[in-house]
Amino acid sequence: MTAVQGTDVDIPTEDGTADAYLTHPGDGAPRPAVLFYMDAFGPRPRLRAMADRLAEAGYTVLVPNLFYRRGRAPVVELPEFIDPGARPEIFQRLGPAMRELTPERAMRDADAYLRWLAECPAAADGPVAVTGYCMGAALSLRTAGTHPDRVAAAAGFHGGRLATDAPDSPHLVAGRITAEVYLGHADQDHSLPEEQIERLERALTDAGVRHRCEVYTGAGHGYTQSDTAAYDKEADERHWAALLDLLRRTF
């Protein structure tokens, strides 16, 4: 197992300064970079552990606090374990930050994160990969479509509202994506019904995007997050196998 080095960093953006977690193999050699988009609960020990696991596999990983406009992470206090009873109050407090992160602002931020990685000594020259969880899955797709020259691989897991009727739905960027895409859907996820899964698949296929969309049977929204009641160990390990396989093919 590769020893990793993790540190807190600050990233200048057009709207302020985003705090972030950077982790990479401890030998200091430049490694392919992965931009890691958080779920709605934000940077916390679980996400740091996931980023460290990617770093152990040989990557430099950046996990920005997407809600930095509301303050440094955690923007709301979180319990060590998030059970269903705690979710309504947490999301009520997170609501303003989530609404504030419009697609336009998110992509301005993505530009800042990618510029920062291009100048980071721990990140190798060349394209990057993007992975995202829950709300981060949509941002992974949007970033791949907004920066096709920079993103070689894009993954998303238990994402919601990926192919809605809205004029800014994430699936509408498919025609601009040049990256290879992998999406692991949860079949017990009310935020991504079957009709949206089919619409997303059609959009990617019609655009000629190299992709694989898989539905994880029995898994619920948030299946990778072991600090929540939604965690599903089998689905989580399947996600790791798929993500690392995508990265190996990319870099």
Side-chain angles (χ1 to χ4, degrees), residues 188-208:
Q188 302 298 308
D189 190 345
H190 297 300
S191 68
L192 193 72
E194 185 175 353
E195 59 267 24
Q196 286 196 38
I197 293 175
E198 292 174 353
R199 183 181 296 156
L200 176 58
E201 174 72 32
R202 283 198 305 272
L204 294 170
T205 299
D206 291 348

Side-chain angles (χ1 to χ4, degrees), residues 19 42-43 65 71-75:
D19 52 303
N65 169 23
R72 301 181 74 85
V75 296

